[in-house]
Every structure is written in C-alpha cells, then in structure tokens.
Amino acid sequence: MDASGSTTCDPAAGCPGVGGEGAPGDGLEHLPEALRAKVRDHPCYSERAHHHFARLHVAVAPGCNLSCNYCNRKYDCANESRPGVVSEVLTPEEAVAKTLAVAHEIPQLSVVGIAGPGDALANPRRTFETFERIREVAPQLRLCLSTNGLALPDYVDDLVALEVEHVTVTVNAIDPEIGARIHPSILFEHRRRRGLEAARILVQRQLAGIEALAARGVLVKVNSVAIPGINHQHLPVVSRAVRQRGAFLHNVMPLISDPSHGTYFGEIGQRGPSDAELLGLRAACASDIAVMSHCQQCRADAAGLIGEDRGAEFSRARVAGRSLDPEAVRRRQQATWQELEEQLREEEGTP
C-alpha cells in the first residue's frame, strides 16, 4: 500500500500473481489439472481460452432483486459495453433460436450464459426454461450463470440438475457496513429491506450459496467491483472469504462511473480505480486466490470472442425465421473445437 492506504502497482512493471497481457500461461497454472480442464475452453475463465473460444449471453432476465449504486440497466444502448446493458430482452424461445444462430455462425462458441440484464435468479422461470431448452437442442454447449447471489441458496439443486458447470457470483463486500454503501436495498421474501439489514442478508446468502455450489462440484468465480474509498482495501478480505468457501477464481473489475450512464455513483462523482490501483489490488488479492485480468465487463447480450462483440449481428429480427439443424450445428462445432484444442495443446507444449 502507498501512504494514502491504497494498494498500488506500477503498470509498466507488472504485478506478481496476476494474469493478463504478457503474463505466462493462462493465469491458472497453480490449479489442479482436473480443474483447469473444466475451464480450458471457457473464455470467461481462462486467459488463454478467450483468444480461441467464444461466449454468448442471452438476455432473458429483466428483473432484479438488488439495488446497486453502480448499476443502471438500460435498453437499446448499442454503443455501450458494460454489464446490465442490452438492446432487447428475449423470451426463452427466442434465446434458443439465437443460440443456434450464433453457434452456426461462430462455431467457436463453447459457453452460453445468462447474465441479466437484471439478475438471472430473480427471474427463475425464464432462466431455467431457457437452460432446459438449450440443453435439449445444443447439449454440447456449457451453461453458466451470473448472479448477485441473493437468491442463490434457493436454486443450487436446480443448477446442479441442469448441469450448470460455472456460476459467477458478484460479491463486493463481506462487511455489511461497507456493503450498505454499495447496495442500498434488496427485495427479499416479498419485502424491501434497506441499509445494514439488507447488507447482512445479502452477505449471508452470497457466502452460503458459494459454499453450497462448491460442495456440489460447481465451479464458482467471484466478481467484485473495485470502488476507491469504499471497498478497495476490503477486497483482499473478500478474496480470502470466498476462497475459504470454495470459489476458485476472483475477477476484480474497475468501477465504471461515467456520469452519462445515470448511476448514483456516476452522479455523485465517485471515481473508479487508476490502473496502478487496480493492478496493485489484484496482486494483493492473488495471495489468496487466482485472480483474472482479461475480463472486458461484457454486455448482458454479448456474443463472440471477448473483445470482439458481435451481438448486433444476432438481433431478434435477424434471427427470426431461420431454420437450422441442431445436429448439423453440433457436428460443425465439434470439428472446430477439435482444431482449437489442438492449437491450445501446441501452445501449452502438451501432447
């Protein structure tokens, strides 16, 4: 930490324990091979895989049970690339059609996830119907989900039954005093809760959900938004707590606080971390858990390789009426995946 109490690291020098451009391997070398094998083709988990494999977020979950001072869920924001932004919300049927269209046009697609624009588990019927339908027509694709964790303990069994292999939980604080400054209210058991009461419930539910998922063999990644002056120095404590409960990867992301986005933090002038602060924070967190650094904070309707979003090519209007043979799509994908896996083995120097 520097004299002001901020954790910093010189971007030019790099930081120990953090993957990213110029870092060796995929940032997960210390993990057991069985675990690495599960994320080898997951672009949102593996530093190396995101250069080769694609992801799709289907926006079927408009409602949210949590109020966040950094969030403003918008629609028809084609030029904004940040969580919570989509151009259109889909029905489960439309999500399946989009999945097949993307898999046909982008055979590198390996993962389909639900990441909003609200919270996936605040919309359980739409979320699980979508997963069930995708599982029927495209069983080759891995399913993943992002959630704030408030409803997570209620749906662990459902996620396991649908073979959802990867779940991302956003945890910004485990200290309710800090959490209340980030999340002013929650909707829990049909009642709005605020302040410390809300923060305590949220933390307890998040940690219980992570622990329950990990105990069932589901891989858990934790996302945290770094907010200077609020949770910046606290996030290494978060790393330690979620690792103790079974999470294997921590994604520390910078606050996006452009005033034009209409968020509370943007309106009050809350700044995001500098590059040096973010790198230093990631290095501090990496003493307890693997820390990723290639996240692009994708839209809730992103499609394609990370950093090369092609979501606009697969609008409802463009996908409607297309008739694709799921088995032909699957065969084409498997051939593409085999080629990509050979490339990965060559890069890793493994037989």
Side-chain angles (χ1 to χ4, degrees):
M1 292 188 178
D2 64 16
S4 67
S6 296
T7 304
T8 60
C9 183
D10 181 0
C15 296
V18 182
E21 291 298 323
D26 59 8
L28 304 176
E29 287 83 357
H30 70 289
L31 297 175
E33 178 56 32
L35 185 55
R36 288 187 63 199
K38 289 187 176 182
V39 299
R40 193 183 305 274
D41 62 354
H42 197 309
C44 305
Y45 283 62
S46 169
E47 169 73 20
R48 179 173 285 134
H50 91 275
H51 295 292
H52 301 277
F53 290 93
R55 86 306 192 202
L56 169 65
H57 293 166
V58 287
V60 299
C64 197
N65 51 10
L66 181 63
S67 173
C68 304
N69 284 333
Y70 54 72
C71 181
N72 182 18
R73 289 175 285 123
K74 289 184 177 181
Y75 299 87
D76 298 318
C77 299
N79 295 319
E80 290 186 30
S81 183
R82 59 185 177 88
V85 173
V86 298
S87 293
E88 53 194 8
V89 175
L90 306 177
T91 66
E93 296 85 352
E94 291 169 334
V96 172
K98 181 172 182 175
T99 297
L100 283 177
V102 173
H104 175 72
E105 296 293 333
I106 309 176
Q108 307 99 304
L109 178 69
S110 62
V111 175
V112 179
I114 298 176
D119 186 79
L121 297 180
N123 303 260
R125 185 193 65 79
R126 296 171 66 94
T127 291
F128 290 118
E129 182 181 346
T130 299
F131 278 158
E132 289 168 357
R133 290 172 176 267
I134 292 174
R135 182 62 74 201
E136 290 174 359
V137 302
Q140 72 275 16
L141 296 174
R142 293 185 170 183
L143 302 180
C144 64
L145 171 144
S146 294
T147 177
N148 59 45
L150 179 59
L152 182 55
D154 299 330
Y155 296 107
V156 170
D157 288 343
D158 301 88
L159 293 167
V160 171
L162 279 168
E163 299 180 334
V164 176
E165 296 183 354
H166 311 88
V167 173
T168 295
V169 185
T170 298
V171 181
N172 294 312
I174 61 168
D175 180 339
E177 295 278 355
I178 297 173
R181 298 176 65 188
I182 303 170
H183 309 293
S185 70
I186 65 172
L187 183 61
F188 181 65
E189 295 181 341
H190 309 292
R191 186 160 67 87
R192 179 67 61 178
R193 320 291 181 101
R194 302 181 186 278
L196 285 176
E197 179 194 15
R200 290 190 185 101
I201 293 170
L202 177 61
V203 170
Q204 186 275 325
R205 302 277 291 178
Q206 289 172 327
L207 296 180
I210 291 169
E211 190 166 13
L213 284 176
R216 302 288 293 275
V218 179
L219 296 181
V220 180
K221 171 171 69 75
V222 167
N223 281 354
S224 297
V225 179
I227 310 166
I230 296 181
N231 72 342
H232 188 274
Q233 297 181 47
H234 176 60
L235 287 183
V237 179
V238 173
S239 288
R240 191 172 309 115
V242 299
R243 178 67 183 88
Q244 290 171 348
R245 287 161 177 82
F248 84 104
L249 187 63
H250 196 181
N251 176 29
V252 179
M253 309 176 295
L255 171 70
I256 299 174
S257 55
D258 188 321
S260 68
H261 295 159
T263 68
Y264 173 76
F265 278 153
E267 291 174 352
I268 68 170
Q270 170 64 52
R271 72 175 181 89
S274 67
D275 289 345
E277 287 173 326
L278 185 62
L279 284 171
L281 178 56
R282 287 171 172 167
C285 292
S287 63
D288 287 294
I289 192 171
V291 175
M292 66 180 288
S293 59
H294 68 277
C295 178
Q296 300 294 312
Q297 294 176 269
C298 303
R299 293 165 56 100
D301 56 4
L305 297 172
I306 290 179
E308 298 178 5
D309 190 0
R310 295 173 57 183
E313 299 176 29
F314 302 97
S315 66
R316 178 188 289 114
R318 294 187 179 188
V319 169
R322 297 188 65 176
S323 179
L324 294 169
D325 177 6
E327 182 59 23
V329 171
R330 184 188 66 80
R331 289 196 300 268
R332 182 166 185 247
Q333 282 202 286
Q334 288 183 329
T336 300
W337 292 354
Q338 184 174 355
E339 294 176 2
L340 292 174
E341 287 166 0
E342 290 174 357
Q343 291 180 29
L344 283 172
R345 284 195 295 270
E346 290 178 3
E347 292 176 5
E348 294 172 349
T350 57

